Amino acid sequence: MAGVYDRSATRTNPIEAAAVVRAVVEHLADPQRNHKSIAVVTFSRAQQQLVEDLLDAARRERPAIEAFFADTRPEPVIVKNLETIQGDERDVVLFSVGYGPDAAGKVAMNFGPLNRQGGERRLNVAITRAREQLLVFTSLDPAQLRVGDAGRGVADLAAFLQFAEARTTAKQAVAPPPNAVALAIGEGLVERGFAVRYGVGCSAYKVDVAVIDPDDPANLVFGIETDGPAYQLAPTARDRDRLRASVLGAMGWRLARVWSPDWLADPKRELTRLHTGLVNAIAASRASKKVGPSATATAVVTAAPPAATPPPSPTTATTDTPAPSARELAPYRMATLAKRKRESTWVYSGESSMALMQLMTEVIEREAPVHLDVLVARVADAVDMPRVTSKLTERVRGLIAGVGQLGRGDDAEFVWPKTADASQLHVPPRPPGESEAEARRALEEISVAELAGAALHILHANVAMERPALAKEIARLFGYPRPNERILVRLDQAVQRAVATGAAAADGARIVAK
């Protein structure tokens, strides 16, 4: 966008602001789209004010859109800046960077809150406010950003703009045939000696590519999902990202998913990954027939991709534990505590111990393993304390022995029920719940034991994965579609634990289910 940032006077980008407002008005005036809630996020307060002023003028000119701004709506149109958007979400978010070249074409490396300590967190919050679609309006070319010593926030902005630019190019590249990625995947597998079918399924939802067992033409041994039309038409993220895989897994499908940007970036790598999963799926299918219907078989093999020849018969190994992909995961559920207004002096007195322990028990039974900070926050809210203090934390910590126990090692700050084995190395993962409060836990509030359980759940569904891909899938399961480096480091700890338990094995860069 050929916008100009007025650095010396208004500190706004009028051309960019006008484009954002046009997009908002077009969205609200379109009956095919205006059922989707919408928000505008700007980098600065000045740009926010300009967008609001232009929107006010547009509302006066188009009274028909006024209803979308009413406070009585569940999610009215909002315009906020980088520092005030936290806590809000909308279906569609228009993100206005504002900063850019001035009239002389010069780009100053001053991006307001982004330059300050923790600026990268503000950026992360802002770009994750969209449930379905994020539209980026900017006058900046990522190449114009001189990252250098500008700080983590500016470096992340440059990477984000590069990603947005690549996604736009990718969408244009695959636009003509709606299922181009699925067709390309199928052609690649056919070249490797497999037979495939497209759009398999009896319901409205269909598996994009299904692969036939070479030894049993009636058996569809492997399914591949893409983020194509079927994925995009799912009514909720829970449907497309969790329920489908669980239901299909329960029906015996082994599944893999391919994201369009990953395919466009490196189709050879993605095809190799699919081939490995497919070989393992065929091995598992054959093993299950050999051991009979009363046993469950999981195959682990290492195979190089063949050149246009059918896959070899791999070695198989069996286990008595059903694959987690065949079970529906129970979502995370918060404890609901009855509110009771109490004086702080009562909270710290001996007479409160039994009441506090009862509150703690309700939280532990519902949410364990639960982080100590979360437990304290639940208690503080229940007794109507305005904030969590170190004194309250110590008060709760001192009562834990009566109602539960602290974990071990990496999970030393997590509380378990008294009767549980707090040394458990992995527990079943709990994906986001349905309420806003349950929708996304901070990663630090999820125990390594639960993250390791997520790693094993995903591995059993995919058999083998590259370590970085596995970490990203764990993040997605917990509602982090674009994990940053800090998150990935913690997730890699969980992958290491899954290997340390003996439930998975490291094969070079790959992690394989056992």
Side-chain angles (χ1 to χ4, degrees):
M1 179 183 299
V4 175
Y5 176 57
D6 185 8
R7 180 160 55 95
S8 58
T10 65
R11 296 187 177 181
T12 63
N13 191 323
I15 294 176
E16 189 175 301
V20 169
V21 171
R22 279 197 303 274
V24 172
V25 171
E26 289 172 3
H27 177 96
L28 299 179
D30 184 353
Q32 301 295 320
R33 293 187 289 161
N34 60 16
H35 63 286
K36 303 288 188 183
S37 60
I38 190 168
V40 177
V41 180
T42 68
F43 256 51
S44 66
R45 288 188 176 89
Q47 187 75 357
Q48 175 190 357
Q49 186 62 58
L50 177 58
V51 170
E52 288 175 338
D53 291 345
L54 293 175
L55 265 179
D56 287 344
R59 290 161 65 180
R60 289 191 294 269
E61 294 174 3
R62 292 174 171 257
I65 68 172
E66 182 64 31
F68 293 97
F69 295 81
D71 290 337
T72 53
R73 291 184 67 87
E75 290 189 338
V77 178
I78 56 173
V79 182
K80 295 197 174 184
N81 63 59
L82 209 61
E83 297 187 273
T84 60
I85 189 60
Q86 186 166 2
D88 292 295
E89 285 187 345
R90 292 297 187 266
D91 298 324
V92 180
V93 171
L94 281 59
F95 189 47
S96 174
V97 175
Y99 299 103
D102 59 18
K106 181 180 178 181
V107 177
M109 298 300 291
N110 182 3
F111 300 98
L114 208 64
N115 292 95
R116 298 200 290 269
Q117 183 72 24
E120 70 278 5
R121 291 195 293 274
R122 292 182 173 88
L123 176 65
N124 183 62
V125 167
I127 64 178
T128 55
R129 298 303 89 196
R131 299 191 190 100
E132 298 181 15
Q133 186 179 32
L134 175 66
L135 301 175
V136 182
F137 292 75
T138 182
S139 308
L140 280 168
D141 184 324
Q144 294 174 306
L145 295 178
R146 305 178 302 280
V147 177
D149 298 325
R152 171 71 182 276
V154 177
D156 283 2
L157 173 63
F160 170 67
L161 293 179
Q162 289 171 351
F163 172 78
E165 187 177 53
R167 282 298 296 262
T168 302
T169 305
K171 286 181 179 179
Q172 292 170 349
V174 300
N179 58 345
V181 171
L183 289 171
I185 290 170
E187 291 170 0
L189 293 175
V190 168
E191 289 176 359
R192 292 171 179 242
F194 297 102
V196 303
R197 288 172 56 190
Y198 300 101
V200 175
C202 300
S203 63
Y205 172 69
K206 302 187 185 303
V207 176
D208 293 300
V209 183
V211 185
I212 299 168
D213 186 339
D215 288 352
D216 183 2
N219 183 24
L220 297 175
V221 73
F222 194 61
I224 301 167
E225 297 180 296
T226 70
D227 50 0
Y231 179 86
Q232 295 167 15
L233 289 173
T236 67
R238 184 170 178 265
D239 283 350
R240 65 180 178 244
D241 288 331
R242 188 159 65 84
L243 290 184
R244 284 175 177 168
S246 297
V247 171
L248 291 171
M251 295 169 64
W253 282 86
R254 285 179 175 265
L255 297 169
R257 178 172 287 163
V258 176
W259 302 101
S260 297
D262 292 342
W263 177 266
L264 291 166
D266 194 343
K268 184 176 179 181
R269 178 197 62 203
E270 291 300 296
L271 203 56
T272 299
R273 178 175 67 85
L274 291 173
H275 179 272
T276 301
L278 177 52
V279 169
N280 282 281
I282 291 172
S285 177
R286 293 172 182 168
S288 65
K289 292 174 184 176
K290 289 179 182 179
V291 299
S294 61
T296 302
T298 302
V300 179
V301 300
T302 302
T309 58
S313 297
T315 304
T316 64
T318 63
T319 177
D320 294 326
T321 304
S325 59
R327 298 195 297 266
E328 173 67 24
L329 291 174
Y332 174 67
R333 290 285 181 261
M334 285 177 54
T336 303
L337 304 179
K339 296 285 185 91
R340 56 192 80 184
K341 189 172 181 62
R342 297 287 188 177
E343 297 295 331
S344 59
T345 52
W346 173 85
V347 173
Y348 300 115
S349 69
E351 65 182 274
S352 70
S353 297
M354 290 303 297
L356 293 179
M357 290 168 66
Q358 178 59 41
L359 293 172
M360 292 165 61
T361 298
E362 292 181 45
V363 177
I364 294 168
E365 288 180 349
R366 182 74 164 181
E367 301 187 47
V370 57
H371 196 282
L372 175 61
D373 290 347
V374 175
L375 177 60
V376 176
R378 299 277 190 271
V379 171
D381 184 62
V383 298
D384 201 30
M385 292 190 70
R387 61 190 180 89
V388 172
T389 64
S390 58
K391 187 177 179 181
L392 179 62
T393 299
E394 290 310 308
R395 173 72 169 135
V396 171
R397 186 189 290 272
L399 295 173
I400 288 175
V403 294
Q405 57 180 318
L406 287 168
R408 313 281 190 273
D410 296 331
D411 290 338
E413 289 296 292
F414 286 82
V415 184
W416 299 69
K418 248 186 172 181
T419 56
D421 179 5
S423 63
Q424 289 182 79
L425 295 176
H426 52 81
V427 297
R430 295 169 291 178
E434 295 180 356
S435 73
E436 183 177 349
E438 296 167 338
R440 182 163 166 180
R441 289 177 284 171
L443 196 74
E444 292 77 8
E445 296 173 1
I446 305 173
S447 67
V448 176
E450 189 172 347
L451 295 172
L456 295 175
H457 172 84
I458 293 165
L459 280 173
H460 277 288
N462 293 275
V463 181
M465 296 183 71
E466 299 290 322
R467 186 184 291 261
L470 175 57
K472 288 180 180 178
E473 285 302 318
I474 299 171
R476 286 194 182 107
L477 188 150
F478 288 106
Y480 291 83
R482 291 176 294 276
N484 58 33
E485 191 61 35
R486 179 184 61 82
I487 292 175
L488 289 175
V489 168
R490 180 163 167 79
L491 295 178
D492 195 56
Q493 293 175 350
V495 175
Q496 292 175 22
R497 178 178 288 198
V499 173
T501 66
D507 178 14
R510 294 192 318 151
I511 306 298
V512 184
K514 294 182 72 174

